[in-house]
Amino acid sequence: MDNMTNRTNEKTKTMNFSFNESSMNEFRRWEKKFPEDPAGRRSLVIPALWISQWQHGYISRDVINYVAEITQTEPLHVWGVATFYTLFKKEKTGKFLLQFCTNITCSLMGGDQVFVNTCKKLGVKAGETTRDGMFTAVEVECLGACGESPTLQVNEKYYTHMTDDEVEKLVADLRKMA
Ligand code: FES
């Protein structure tokens, strides 16, 4: 173990977030793809944030500090990257984040009503999480799948041509999976 790794391990001990074994293995796999210079370390910020989100569910302040440590960058830089990309969640959500596109095409195809009806069925308002912590329902801008609208993104997966019935069935299936 080199000095840099030792120093990083010492600092990260004080944080409330660190990679588990499988996340660390994934991070090491990404590390091999980039040069060991400062530019290479900065390029690791995005994969490190993804791995953190898979493990932790969202990008907390501790995640920001941890990613800055393991990539030898500044927390401010990591925060800038995390806030630039809407795919990184800055707040805790339910186990399944339901992102309903209500932009123009999806809206014309009934997507905004599907969103409203789903919120009603789940007993939440826009942006809220169900009491069991399973589902958070939010409206988002165009997901880039207008040709198959209305589009719904659940965590990283897309579902298209969504109707009230389709969403209800999907929610029931996700409950069973959880
Ligand atoms: S408008 Fe909904 S995916 Fe583009």
Side-chain angles (χ1 to χ4, degrees):
M1 206 178 283
D2 60 24
N3 284 345
M4 180 71 84
T5 307
N6 273 330
R7 274 204 307 279
T8 299
N9 286 348
E10 277 308 306
K11 284 186 181 176
T12 53
K13 266 183 207 163
T14 59
M15 294 177 196
N16 290 322
F17 174 82
S18 59
F19 282 158
N20 59 27
E21 194 182 338
S22 96
S23 296
M24 186 52 86
N25 289 340
E26 181 65 9
F27 180 70
R28 295 286 178 233
R29 201 174 65 77
W30 277 95
E31 258 185 330
K32 291 187 189 123
K33 299 183 185 198
F34 295 98
E36 287 180 27
D37 60 17
R41 301 307 295 177
R42 283 168 91 84
S43 301
L44 277 166
V45 167
I46 289 180
L49 284 170
W50 266 122
I51 297 165
S52 302
Q53 184 161 287
W54 288 328
Q55 180 184 319
H56 191 58
Y58 71 109
I59 307 301
S60 65
R61 186 182 288 254
D62 280 330
V63 167
I64 295 287
N65 289 332
Y66 180 74
V67 168
E69 284 297 334
I70 58 168
T71 58
Q72 285 111 46
T73 54
E74 292 301 315
L76 196 58
H77 172 71
V78 179
W79 179 245
V81 174
T83 51
F84 181 79
Y85 294 102
T86 54
L87 287 170
F88 292 124
K89 296 187 272 174
K90 270 67 73 183
E91 285 174 14
K92 195 169 183 179
T93 63
K95 185 174 172 67
F96 300 105
L97 176 61
L98 310 178
Q99 298 180 83
F100 291 83
C101 172
T102 55
N103 215 297
I104 187 72
T105 310
C106 286
S107 183
L108 287 171
M109 297 300 286
D112 48 356
Q113 198 53 49
V114 172
F115 171 65
V116 169
N117 294 341
T118 304
C119 285
K120 218 178 273 177
K121 280 181 201 155
L122 291 174
V124 294
K125 292 197 183 100
E128 286 183 352
T129 300
T130 53
R131 291 175 73 172
D132 60 4
M134 291 283 283
F135 301 100
T136 303
V138 295
E139 279 183 272
V140 292
E141 297 298 331
C142 180
L143 290 167
C146 317
E148 298 176 86
S149 58
T151 308
L152 166 65
Q153 183 179 349
V154 182
N155 296 346
E156 281 92 38
K157 195 168 174 195
Y158 272 27
Y159 296 86
T160 54
H161 304 293
M162 295 311 281
T163 60
D164 287 337
D165 289 346
E166 291 285 342
V167 177
E168 195 168 346
K169 186 176 171 312
L170 177 61
V171 165
D173 289 346
L174 292 171
R175 272 193 207 284
K176 275 186 226 155
M177 266 171 52

